[in-house]
Amino acid sequence: MTMTTYSISDLARELDVTPRAIRFYEEQGMLAPERRGQERIYSAKDKVTLKLILRGKRIGFSLAECKELIDLYDPSSGNRKQLETFMDKIAARRAQLEQQLLDIEQMQLELDTAEERCLAALAETTA
C-alpha cells in the first residue's frame, strides 16, 4: 500500500500557498515533513494540517490558536475536545467581529458629524 506524498511545490500549488509559507509553518513546528536529503516529503496528514492552518487564518485565528486546535487532534475520541475548543473559538471570534462592527458603525457616525461640521463651516466662509 502506497501512501500519498507531496513535494513542497505540489502542496503549494494544490493549496494555493507559497513554498515559503509552508516552510514558515514548518519552522513554527506545525508541519513535520520527512526528509530525503534536502527534499521535503509531505504526507496526507501534513496536507490536512496545512488546510486547517489556512482555514483558521482565513477566519481570523492566530497561529497559536491554529496550533492549539491541531494539537488537540485525537481521532480516538472522535475529536470531541478539538471540536468543542473550535466551537469556543468560533464564538469568541464572532463576538470580536460583532464588537468591531459596532466600533466601525460608531466611527462612521463620528465621521458623519465631523463632515457636517466641516460643510457648515465651509458654507459660513463662502457666505
Side-chain angles (χ1 to χ4, degrees):
M1 177 172 131
T2 60
M3 279 185 27
T4 304
T5 58
Y6 306 87
S7 69
I8 194 167
S9 56
D10 291 339
L11 210 50
R13 189 170 39 256
E14 196 166 324
L15 298 179
D16 195 27
V17 65
T18 64
R20 183 175 180 184
I22 295 172
R23 285 191 294 274
F24 173 76
Y25 297 132
E26 185 181 339
E27 288 165 12
Q28 299 303 308
M30 299 175 83
L31 296 172
E34 285 183 41
R35 296 278 189 156
R36 280 194 205 129
Q38 290 293 90
E39 188 181 9
R40 291 169 168 87
I41 307 297
Y42 294 90
S43 67
K45 182 179 184 273
D46 291 321
K47 181 180 173 183
V48 169
T49 298
L50 185 54
K51 279 181 167 180
L52 289 172
I53 293 167
L54 298 173
R55 182 180 302 141
K57 295 299 291 171
R58 268 195 315 276
I59 58 178
F61 290 171
S62 68
L63 271 186
E65 289 172 313
C66 292
K67 186 169 180 8
E68 178 187 354
L69 287 169
I70 290 162
D71 289 346
L72 288 172
Y73 179 73
D74 179 14
S76 68
S77 71
N79 293 313
R80 184 167 187 84
K81 181 70 175 156
Q82 183 189 44
L83 293 169
E84 288 170 346
T85 303
F86 192 29
M87 289 295 293
D88 291 343
K89 290 189 178 307
I90 287 170
R93 182 68 179 136
R94 190 179 306 275
Q96 180 185 29
L97 287 171
E98 288 168 359
Q99 183 58 56
Q100 287 175 329
L101 192 55
L102 291 173
D103 293 346
I104 289 168
E105 290 168 352
Q106 182 61 44
M107 197 177 298
Q108 286 175 323
L109 291 173
E110 299 280 346
L111 289 170
D112 290 346
T113 302
E115 184 178 45
E116 287 170 15
R117 288 185 179 152
C118 286
L119 288 171
L122 282 171
E124 287 178 19
T125 62
T126 59

